Amino acid sequence: MRVLHRTMATGQLALGVRVSGADDARPPVVLVHGMAGDHSTWRAFASVLRREGRTVVAVDLRGHGRSGHAAGYRLDDFRDDLRFVLDDLDLDVADVVAHSLGAHAALRLAMDVPDRIGRLVLEEIPPMPRDQRDLDEGIVVAASLGERVRGLGWALRNPVPLIRFDRRLPADVSSQFEVADPDWWARLGAVASPTLVISGGRRSFLPPRHLRSLSDALPDGRFVEIPTGHSVHRDRAADFAAVVTEFLDAGRA
């Protein structure tokens, strides 16, 4: 596990990154976890990628895992941390596979530096509300009771992510989804990457129609539903790996 140090006006922020595998022929695959997770949530999928010879870069977001707690948790902060990781590791272009909060940060990165992202996989990404109708729907950017129950076994086997998680983070993040942001939707046109949006179906707290709407709004978006809930890569690991590796391999020259 490497610890990178990002210098900011508020001081230095430690960012934990695990780099494994070796592939000079294709871009590395950057893995970004969701809220209250860390790089270890990708352990099974990272093994699949390494068996295919891919270089894997698994990131701990600020406030999670080996990364430091921060003064702020703005959505753009997570985006900027990912860009710093690409810069610090001298990664000109990377494929990105990301879940939930990490997927939202990755999409913001693809909006800002479209030339740095090869192929993009967004698992259960929470879109920004477009208008008052979206706000009135009252979607909460947090796991449902069923999702928490399904995640209990994982937490018991690997309690470290929850222990290291900054408890201030959920309130900071959730409040940003309580304001309509039509400009966010308008900026989707800047994303140049072929993008796969994965929905966990009706068992997730994120309605699949919103994720399909996001996929349709992207210049080169496609949509797949794997009915299982919010953590598809955890609860349907084999199906997730099959769909995602096929999508990533389609980018081979």
Side-chain angles (χ1 to χ4, degrees):
M1 194 79 184
R2 302 186 194 180
V3 178
L4 313 180
H5 296 278
R6 182 182 171 204
T7 302
M8 303 179 297
T10 54
Q12 281 201 337
L13 175 68
L15 293 170
V17 180
R18 185 174 190 270
V19 181
S20 58
D23 183 355
D24 295 330
R26 290 176 289 175
V29 182
V30 176
L31 305 177
V32 194
H33 63 83
M35 190 183 294
D38 70 1
H39 69 280
S40 65
T41 190
W42 296 110
R43 193 169 289 145
F45 183 58
S47 295
V48 171
L49 292 173
R50 286 194 297 270
R51 285 197 296 272
E52 292 195 349
R54 300 298 296 265
T55 299
V56 179
V57 179
V59 179
D60 282 352
L61 294 171
R62 61 171 58 197
H64 298 78
R66 299 291 181 90
S67 293
H69 293 190
Y73 293 104
R74 305 300 298 174
L75 295 168
D76 284 346
D77 292 335
F78 296 108
R79 173 202 66 194
D80 294 343
D81 291 343
L82 293 180
R83 184 171 184 176
F84 173 81
V85 169
L86 294 184
D87 291 343
D88 198 76
L89 296 179
D90 293 323
L91 304 180
D92 294 330
V93 178
D95 292 338
V96 180
V97 179
H99 176 228
S100 195
L101 173 61
H104 191 94
L107 182 53
R108 285 180 177 250
L109 181 66
M111 292 175 180
D112 277 17
V113 286
D115 58 320
R116 304 286 299 274
I117 310 300
R119 298 179 79 80
L120 180 61
V121 178
L122 305 173
E123 175 198 355
E124 278 286 297
I125 175 176
M128 297 302 294
R130 286 166 288 198
D131 50 30
Q132 190 60 44
R133 180 181 296 180
D134 281 356
L135 291 171
D136 290 344
E137 198 167 346
I139 299 171
V140 178
V141 185
S144 65
L145 176 59
E147 173 64 23
R148 290 197 294 270
V149 170
R150 289 192 292 274
L152 180 60
W154 171 268
L156 290 173
R157 292 191 300 273
N158 182 24
V160 174
L162 282 177
I163 292 170
R164 290 179 169 162
F165 176 53
D166 189 343
R167 298 302 192 274
R168 296 179 299 122
L169 193 152
D172 280 3
V173 168
S174 295
S175 65
Q176 295 169 73
F177 287 93
E178 295 171 1
V179 179
D181 189 357
D183 289 343
W184 182 87
W185 285 84
R187 291 194 298 122
L188 292 173
V191 178
S193 310
T195 304
L196 176 65
V197 178
I198 299 178
S199 166
R202 295 183 180 180
R203 296 179 70 184
S204 170
F205 63 87
L206 293 174
R209 69 181 183 279
H210 288 307
L211 275 67
R212 184 181 290 275
S213 179
L214 170 60
S215 174
D216 290 344
L218 290 163
D220 189 4
R222 58 219 63 186
F223 175 86
V224 65
E225 184 174 320
I226 304 176
T228 190
H230 188 54
S231 294
V232 182
H233 72 280
R234 182 193 69 199
D235 297 332
R236 295 275 296 272
D239 293 330
F240 178 88
V243 167
V244 174
T245 54
E246 180 181 6
F247 174 74
L248 295 177
D249 288 345
R252 291 189 184 186

